[in-house]
Amino acid sequence: MDWYVVRGYVVPLGIALLLGLVVHVLLRRIARRIADRQSTRARIVHAMVLPAAFALPLLFVLAALRAMPIPDEDLRTWAHALRLAVFACVTWLLVRVVGAVEDSILRHNPMEIADNLHARRIQTQTRVLSRVAMGAIILLGVSLSLMTFPAVRQVGATLLASAGIAGLVAGIAARPVFGNLIAGLQIALAQPIRLDDVVIVEGEWGRIEEINSTYVVVRIWDERRLVVPLSWWIENPFQNWTRSSAQMLGTAFLWLDYRTPMDEVRAELERICHGDPRWDGRVCIAQVTDTSEREMQVRLLVSARDSGEAFDLRCAVRERMIGFLAQHYPHALPRLRAEVVSDAGRRLPRTDATAEVPSSPRAEDMEDAAADPTRNPAAGGA
C-alpha cells in the first residue's frame, strides 16, 4: 500500500470533514440558542444557520477534492455533484430568509384587533410578495442548477437560435403561470382584496382565508372553501364589503297594518338598539318604504361594526319588533279584510202580476207602427 497516495486522500478529506463537523455543530448550537428570540435580526440569523450548517461543510469537501490526487474526469463529476448540493443549500437559505422576514412582519402586524384594516393591508402585501419572491428564488436556483449540465446549455443555445417560435410557444404555454404571477403583483400593490376581507364571489358570502401565488381560498359562511385563481380577481367584478371599512348597514323589512303606530315602532327600535351591544351607535331608523292595497312595508335600518354583527343585529331587531307588536299592538300585524253581506231574511218588494211590464221596442212593433199611422208617434205629432 502506497501511504503517500493514501495520505493524499485521507488528510485533505479528513481535515475537510473535521472542519465541516465543527462548523455544523457550532451553527446548530447557535440556532438552538436564538430559536426563542422574537426580533427580526434573530429570526433572519436563525433562518440562515441551518442551510449554512450544510453548505459550509460541502464547500470544505469541495476544496479537499481539488487537493486530492483524483483523475480529472472523477474530479469533475464529484465537483459537479457538490456544486449542485451547494446551489440547493443557497436556494434553501434564501427561501428561509424571505420566510423569516415575512413571519416577522406578520408578527408585528396582528389581525386579532378590532380595527385591523391596516394590519390586513400589510399582511396581504407581505404574503403575496413573499410567495412571489420565493417562487422566483426557486426558479432561479433550478435554472442555475440545470445550466451546469452541458446538454441543457446546448438546448438553451438552440432555443435562443430560434427565439421567435420558441418564445411564442413558451408564451402560450406559460400564459396561465405568468398571468397569475402578474395578477398576484397587482393584488399585492392595488389590493382589491385583503386577508379576512368579506366578499361575495359567484353568489357566495365568505371571507378571504388564504392568498397564494396562484389562487385565493375563500372560506364560505357554512365552512366550505371556494378556490379562485388569482387572475379571476382582476378580470371579474365582485363585492368587497370591507374594502375601506368593516362597518355595515343592515335592514329588516316588516309588512304591517295601516293602523300601526309608527311613533311607538320608532321608540321600540331605539330601545332595542340601545340594549344590544352589537349596535355601533350610528344608524337606527324606522321608515315606511312601500304600500300595497292591504298593508305597508316598514324598513328597520340599523348599523354594526362588521357584516357578521350586522346580520345578527338584523335578526334580533326583526324578532324583538314582531314580539313587541304581537304583545302590545296585535292589530298592527297584517290581516286580510273582507265584508260578507247575507241576503237571508231580506224581503223583496211585491209586484202586481197584472201590471204591464215595459219592454224594449222590437222589429215587429216598428212594422205595425208603419201600417197604422195612429200608433206612430211621429205621424201623430205631424
Side-chain angles (χ1 to χ4, degrees):
M1 179 180 296
D2 191 349
W3 290 104
Y4 290 100
V5 176
V6 174
R7 186 176 61 183
Y9 284 94
V10 172
V11 173
L13 186 60
I15 294 175
L17 293 177
L18 180 60
L19 291 175
L21 180 62
V22 171
V23 170
H24 183 84
V25 172
L26 289 176
L27 291 178
R28 295 299 295 269
R29 286 186 178 180
I30 294 174
R32 286 194 298 268
R33 185 168 297 179
I34 65 175
D36 297 332
R37 298 183 183 180
Q38 303 300 326
S39 65
T40 303
R41 184 179 302 176
R43 287 181 171 273
I44 293 176
V45 172
H46 183 268
M48 296 174 59
V49 164
L50 188 59
F54 289 94
L56 291 178
L58 291 176
L59 291 177
F60 294 153
V61 173
L62 180 60
L65 287 177
R66 299 184 184 279
M68 295 167 58
I70 301 178
D72 292 341
E73 186 66 26
D74 295 338
L75 179 61
R76 284 193 295 269
T77 302
W78 284 102
H80 183 235
L82 290 174
R83 279 197 299 268
L84 291 178
V86 172
F87 283 158
C89 290
V90 173
T91 304
W92 181 25
L93 184 147
L94 294 177
V95 169
R96 282 175 61 90
V97 168
V98 173
V101 174
E102 176 191 359
D103 292 339
S104 180
I105 295 175
L106 298 182
R107 185 177 295 272
H108 286 86
N109 295 274
M111 293 195 302
E112 292 77 15
I113 55 177
D115 187 9
N116 60 359
L117 181 61
H118 177 72
R120 290 191 290 112
R121 181 183 298 113
I122 296 299
Q123 288 213 11
T124 300
Q125 289 180 336
T126 302
R127 289 178 184 272
V128 174
L129 293 178
S130 65
R131 297 299 185 274
V132 173
M134 289 180 182
I137 290 172
I138 294 174
L139 181 61
L140 180 61
V142 173
S143 301
L144 292 177
S145 299
L146 292 177
M147 291 301 292
T148 59
F149 292 93
V152 175
R153 287 200 302 268
Q154 183 64 32
V155 171
T158 305
L159 291 177
L160 289 176
S162 56
I165 299 177
L168 180 62
V169 174
I172 295 174
R175 181 179 176 275
V177 177
F178 288 107
N180 284 324
L181 178 62
I182 295 173
L185 293 175
Q186 288 179 307
I187 289 175
L189 298 176
Q191 291 195 342
I193 56 172
R194 292 179 293 267
L195 290 171
D196 205 41
D197 267 347
V198 177
V199 295
I200 304 295
V201 181
E202 300 291 338
E204 298 283 1
W205 183 96
R207 290 181 179 271
I208 302 297
E209 183 180 48
E210 185 179 350
I211 301 179
N212 290 322
S213 57
T214 56
Y215 60 87
V216 175
V217 179
V218 181
R219 185 179 72 252
I220 309 302
W221 66 272
D222 56 1
E223 298 187 357
R224 290 178 293 145
R225 299 298 189 274
L226 184 64
V227 180
V228 185
L230 276 177
S231 57
W232 187 93
W233 301 94
I234 305 299
E235 300 171 356
N236 296 278
F238 60 92
Q239 297 184 36
N240 188 339
W241 288 9
T242 54
R243 178 68 179 87
S244 58
S245 174
Q247 295 176 341
M248 290 289 295
L249 295 180
T251 56
F253 290 96
L254 297 178
W255 286 97
L256 302 177
D257 192 83
Y258 282 107
R259 295 178 294 174
T260 303
M262 288 302 300
D263 292 337
E264 296 299 328
V265 170
R266 293 187 178 94
E268 179 62 19
L269 179 61
E270 291 183 0
R271 285 192 291 269
I272 294 173
C273 289
H274 284 287
D276 198 311
R278 290 166 293 198
W279 184 56
D280 63 358
R282 293 186 299 121
V283 179
C284 180
I285 300 175
Q287 295 174 314
V288 177
T289 55
D290 197 3
T291 57
S292 68
E293 66 275 9
R294 291 190 300 269
E295 53 207 359
M296 62 182 181
Q297 184 188 65
V298 177
R299 184 184 69 174
L300 308 177
L301 184 63
V302 294
S303 60
R305 284 178 292 272
D306 55 51
S307 59
E309 292 192 355
F311 179 82
D312 294 336
L313 182 59
R314 289 168 53 201
C315 296
V317 166
R318 189 182 298 111
E319 294 174 4
R320 294 171 187 173
M321 186 61 70
I322 292 175
F324 167 76
L325 294 175
Q327 181 178 0
H328 298 282
Y329 301 97
H331 60 274
L333 298 179
R335 61 187 63 197
L336 180 64
R337 295 184 178 87
E339 184 178 357
V340 180
V341 179
S342 175
D343 290 337
R346 178 180 296 180
R347 298 180 63 183
L348 298 176
R350 298 183 61 182
T351 59
D352 187 358
T354 60
E356 183 179 359
V357 178
S359 60
S360 299
R362 295 169 294 177
E364 54 269 22
D365 295 336
M366 300 302 293
E367 294 176 357
D368 294 341
D372 187 2
T374 60
R375 297 180 58 186
N376 189 342

Short mmCIF file of all heavy atoms in Angstrom, two decimals, residues 304-334:
data_model
loop_
_atom_site.label_atom_id
_atom_site.label_comp_id
_atom_site.label_asym_id
_atom_site.label_seq_id
_atom_site.Cartn_x
_atom_site.Cartn_y
_atom_site.Cartn_z
N ALA A 304 -73.83 48.32 12.35
CA ALA A 304 -72.98 47.49 13.22
C ALA A 304 -71.53 47.64 12.79
O ALA A 304 -71.22 48.23 11.75
CB ALA A 304 -73.41 46.02 13.16
N ARG A 305 -70.65 47.07 13.61
CA ARG A 305 -69.21 47.23 13.36
C ARG A 305 -68.73 46.42 12.18
O ARG A 305 -67.77 46.80 11.51
CB ARG A 305 -68.43 46.84 14.62
CG ARG A 305 -68.45 47.89 15.72
CD ARG A 305 -67.69 47.41 16.94
NE ARG A 305 -68.37 46.30 17.59
CZ ARG A 305 -69.30 46.47 18.54
NH1 ARG A 305 -69.65 47.69 18.91
NH2 ARG A 305 -69.88 45.43 19.11
N ASP A 306 -69.35 45.27 11.90
CA ASP A 306 -68.94 44.46 10.76
C ASP A 306 -70.14 43.70 10.24
O ASP A 306 -71.24 43.76 10.81
CB ASP A 306 -67.78 43.51 11.14
CG ASP A 306 -68.11 42.63 12.33
OD1 ASP A 306 -69.18 41.99 12.32
OD2 ASP A 306 -67.31 42.59 13.28
N SER A 307 -69.94 42.96 9.16
CA SER A 307 -71.04 42.29 8.49
C SER A 307 -71.64 41.18 9.35
O SER A 307 -72.86 40.96 9.33
CB SER A 307 -70.57 41.72 7.16
OG SER A 307 -69.50 40.80 7.35
N GLY A 308 -70.81 40.46 10.09
CA GLY A 308 -71.33 39.39 10.93
C GLY A 308 -72.24 39.91 12.03
O GLY A 308 -73.34 39.38 12.25
N GLU A 309 -71.83 40.98 12.70
CA GLU A 309 -72.67 41.56 13.74
C GLU A 309 -73.90 42.24 13.14
O GLU A 309 -74.96 42.25 13.77
CB GLU A 309 -71.86 42.56 14.56
CG GLU A 309 -70.76 41.90 15.40
CD GLU A 309 -70.16 42.87 16.41
OE1 GLU A 309 -70.54 44.05 16.37
OE2 GLU A 309 -69.33 42.42 17.22
N ALA A 310 -73.77 42.79 11.93
CA ALA A 310 -74.93 43.39 11.27
C ALA A 310 -76.00 42.35 10.98
O ALA A 310 -77.20 42.60 11.17
CB ALA A 310 -74.49 44.09 9.98
N PHE A 311 -75.60 41.17 10.54
CA PHE A 311 -76.58 40.12 10.26
C PHE A 311 -77.27 39.68 11.54
O PHE A 311 -78.51 39.55 11.57
CB PHE A 311 -75.87 38.93 9.60
CG PHE A 311 -76.78 37.78 9.30
CD1 PHE A 311 -77.56 37.78 8.15
CD2 PHE A 311 -76.88 36.70 10.16
CE1 PHE A 311 -78.41 36.73 7.88
CE2 PHE A 311 -77.72 35.65 9.89
CZ PHE A 311 -78.50 35.65 8.74
N ASP A 312 -76.51 39.46 12.61
CA ASP A 312 -77.12 39.04 13.87
C ASP A 312 -78.03 40.13 14.44
O ASP A 312 -79.09 39.84 15.00
CB ASP A 312 -76.03 38.69 14.88
CG ASP A 312 -75.23 37.46 14.46
OD1 ASP A 312 -75.78 36.66 13.69
OD2 ASP A 312 -74.08 37.31 14.91
N LEU A 313 -77.62 41.40 14.29
CA LEU A 313 -78.44 42.50 14.80
C LEU A 313 -79.75 42.60 14.01
O LEU A 313 -80.81 42.87 14.60
CB LEU A 313 -77.65 43.80 14.71
CG LEU A 313 -78.36 45.06 15.24
CD1 LEU A 313 -78.75 44.90 16.70
CD2 LEU A 313 -77.47 46.29 15.05
N ARG A 314 -79.71 42.41 12.71
CA ARG A 314 -80.93 42.42 11.91
C ARG A 314 -81.91 41.35 12.38
O ARG A 314 -83.11 41.61 12.52
CB ARG A 314 -80.59 42.19 10.44
CG ARG A 314 -79.90 43.34 9.75
CD ARG A 314 -79.35 42.91 8.41
NE ARG A 314 -80.38 42.29 7.58
CZ ARG A 314 -80.13 41.49 6.56
NH1 ARG A 314 -78.87 41.20 6.24
NH2 ARG A 314 -81.11 40.98 5.85
N CYS A 315 -81.40 40.16 12.61
CA CYS A 315 -82.28 39.07 13.08
C CYS A 315 -82.89 39.41 14.43
O CYS A 315 -84.08 39.18 14.66
CB CYS A 315 -81.49 37.77 13.15
SG CYS A 315 -80.88 37.16 11.55
N ALA A 316 -82.06 39.97 15.32
CA ALA A 316 -82.57 40.32 16.66
C ALA A 316 -83.62 41.42 16.58
O ALA A 316 -84.66 41.36 17.26
CB ALA A 316 -81.41 40.75 17.55
N VAL A 317 -83.39 42.44 15.76
CA VAL A 317 -84.36 43.53 15.62
C VAL A 317 -85.67 43.00 15.05
O VAL A 317 -86.77 43.35 15.52
CB VAL A 317 -83.77 44.63 14.72
CG1 VAL A 317 -84.85 45.61 14.27
CG2 VAL A 317 -82.67 45.37 15.46
N ARG A 318 -85.60 42.14 14.05
CA ARG A 318 -86.81 41.59 13.45
C ARG A 318 -87.61 40.77 14.46
O ARG A 318 -88.83 40.94 14.59
CB ARG A 318 -86.42 40.72 12.24
CG ARG A 318 -87.59 40.26 11.41
CD ARG A 318 -87.13 39.38 10.27
NE ARG A 318 -86.26 40.08 9.34
CZ ARG A 318 -84.97 39.82 9.19
NH1 ARG A 318 -84.39 38.87 9.93
NH2 ARG A 318 -84.25 40.48 8.32
N GLU A 319 -86.94 39.91 15.20
CA GLU A 319 -87.64 39.06 16.17
C GLU A 319 -88.26 39.89 17.29
O GLU A 319 -89.42 39.69 17.67
CB GLU A 319 -86.67 38.03 16.74
CG GLU A 319 -86.16 37.02 15.73
CD GLU A 319 -85.09 36.12 16.31
OE1 GLU A 319 -84.83 36.24 17.52
OE2 GLU A 319 -84.54 35.30 15.55
N ARG A 320 -87.50 40.82 17.87
CA ARG A 320 -88.00 41.59 19.01
C ARG A 320 -89.11 42.55 18.60
O ARG A 320 -90.04 42.77 19.37
CB ARG A 320 -86.83 42.35 19.65
CG ARG A 320 -85.80 41.42 20.27
CD ARG A 320 -84.55 42.16 20.70
NE ARG A 320 -83.51 41.24 21.16
CZ ARG A 320 -82.27 41.60 21.46
NH1 ARG A 320 -81.91 42.88 21.36
NH2 ARG A 320 -81.39 40.70 21.85
N MET A 321 -89.04 43.11 17.41
CA MET A 321 -90.09 44.01 16.96
C MET A 321 -91.39 43.25 16.73
O MET A 321 -92.48 43.74 17.09
CB MET A 321 -89.65 44.73 15.69
CG MET A 321 -90.63 45.79 15.23
SD MET A 321 -90.86 47.12 16.45
CE MET A 321 -89.27 47.94 16.34
N ILE A 322 -91.31 42.06 16.14
CA ILE A 322 -92.52 41.26 15.95
C ILE A 322 -93.12 40.88 17.31
O ILE A 322 -94.34 40.94 17.50
CB ILE A 322 -92.20 40.01 15.11
CG1 ILE A 322 -91.85 40.42 13.68
CG2 ILE A 322 -93.38 39.05 15.11
CD1 ILE A 322 -91.40 39.27 12.81
N GLY A 323 -92.27 40.49 18.26
CA GLY A 323 -92.78 40.17 19.59
C GLY A 323 -93.41 41.38 20.27
O GLY A 323 -94.46 41.25 20.93
N PHE A 324 -92.82 42.56 20.12
CA PHE A 324 -93.38 43.78 20.71
C PHE A 324 -94.75 44.10 20.13
O PHE A 324 -95.71 44.41 20.85
CB PHE A 324 -92.41 44.93 20.49
CG PHE A 324 -92.98 46.29 20.78
CD1 PHE A 324 -93.14 46.72 22.09
CD2 PHE A 324 -93.37 47.12 19.74
CE1 PHE A 324 -93.68 47.98 22.35
CE2 PHE A 324 -93.90 48.37 20.00
CZ PHE A 324 -94.06 48.80 21.31
N LEU A 325 -94.88 44.03 18.82
CA LEU A 325 -96.15 44.34 18.19
C LEU A 325 -97.21 43.30 18.52
O LEU A 325 -98.38 43.65 18.75
CB LEU A 325 -95.96 44.43 16.67
CG LEU A 325 -95.09 45.59 16.17
CD1 LEU A 325 -94.88 45.49 14.66
CD2 LEU A 325 -95.72 46.93 16.52
N ALA A 326 -96.82 42.03 18.57
CA ALA A 326 -97.79 40.99 18.91
C ALA A 326 -98.31 41.15 20.34
O ALA A 326 -99.47 40.84 20.62
CB ALA A 326 -97.17 39.62 18.72
N GLN A 327 -97.49 41.66 21.24
CA GLN A 327 -97.90 41.79 22.63
C GLN A 327 -98.68 43.08 22.89
O GLN A 327 -99.70 43.06 23.61
CB GLN A 327 -96.66 41.75 23.53
CG GLN A 327 -96.98 41.85 25.02
CD GLN A 327 -95.73 41.76 25.88
OE1 GLN A 327 -94.63 41.63 25.35
NE2 GLN A 327 -95.91 41.83 27.18
N HIS A 328 -98.25 44.19 22.32
CA HIS A 328 -98.84 45.48 22.66
C HIS A 328 -99.77 46.01 21.57
O HIS A 328 -100.73 46.73 21.90
CB HIS A 328 -97.73 46.51 22.91
CG HIS A 328 -96.84 46.17 24.07
ND1 HIS A 328 -97.20 46.35 25.39
CD2 HIS A 328 -95.59 45.62 24.10
CE1 HIS A 328 -96.21 45.96 26.19
NE2 HIS A 328 -95.23 45.51 25.43
N TYR A 329 -99.52 45.70 20.33
CA TYR A 329 -100.35 46.22 19.24
C TYR A 329 -100.67 45.08 18.26
O TYR A 329 -100.19 45.07 17.12
CB TYR A 329 -99.63 47.36 18.51
CG TYR A 329 -99.28 48.51 19.40
CD1 TYR A 329 -98.01 48.63 19.96
CD2 TYR A 329 -100.23 49.49 19.72
CE1 TYR A 329 -97.68 49.68 20.79
CE2 TYR A 329 -99.90 50.56 20.55
CZ TYR A 329 -98.63 50.64 21.09
OH TYR A 329 -98.31 51.68 21.92
N PRO A 330 -101.46 44.11 18.69
CA PRO A 330 -101.75 42.98 17.79
C PRO A 330 -102.48 43.41 16.52
O PRO A 330 -102.38 42.73 15.49
CB PRO A 330 -102.62 42.06 18.65
CG PRO A 330 -103.17 42.94 19.73
CD PRO A 330 -102.14 43.98 19.99
N HIS A 331 -103.22 44.53 16.58
CA HIS A 331 -103.91 44.99 15.37
C HIS A 331 -102.93 45.51 14.32
O HIS A 331 -103.32 45.74 13.17
CB HIS A 331 -104.89 46.10 15.74
CG HIS A 331 -104.23 47.30 16.35
ND1 HIS A 331 -103.96 47.38 17.71
CD2 HIS A 331 -103.74 48.45 15.80
CE1 HIS A 331 -103.37 48.55 17.97
NE2 HIS A 331 -103.22 49.21 16.83
N ALA A 332 -101.65 45.72 14.70
CA ALA A 332 -100.66 46.20 13.73
C ALA A 332 -100.14 45.11 12.82
O ALA A 332 -99.54 45.41 11.79
CB ALA A 332 -99.49 46.86 14.46
N LEU A 333 -100.34 43.87 13.20
CA LEU A 333 -99.88 42.77 12.35
C LEU A 333 -100.77 42.66 11.12
O LEU A 333 -101.98 42.93 11.19
CB LEU A 333 -99.88 41.46 13.13
CG LEU A 333 -98.94 41.44 14.35
CD1 LEU A 333 -99.04 40.12 15.07
CD2 LEU A 333 -97.51 41.74 13.95
N PRO A 334 -100.26 42.29 9.98
CA PRO A 334 -101.06 42.28 8.75
C PRO A 334 -102.20 41.29 8.84
O PRO A 334 -102.09 40.22 9.44
CB PRO A 334 -100.04 41.87 7.68
CG PRO A 334 -98.95 41.17 8.41
CD PRO A 334 -98.87 41.83 9.75
#
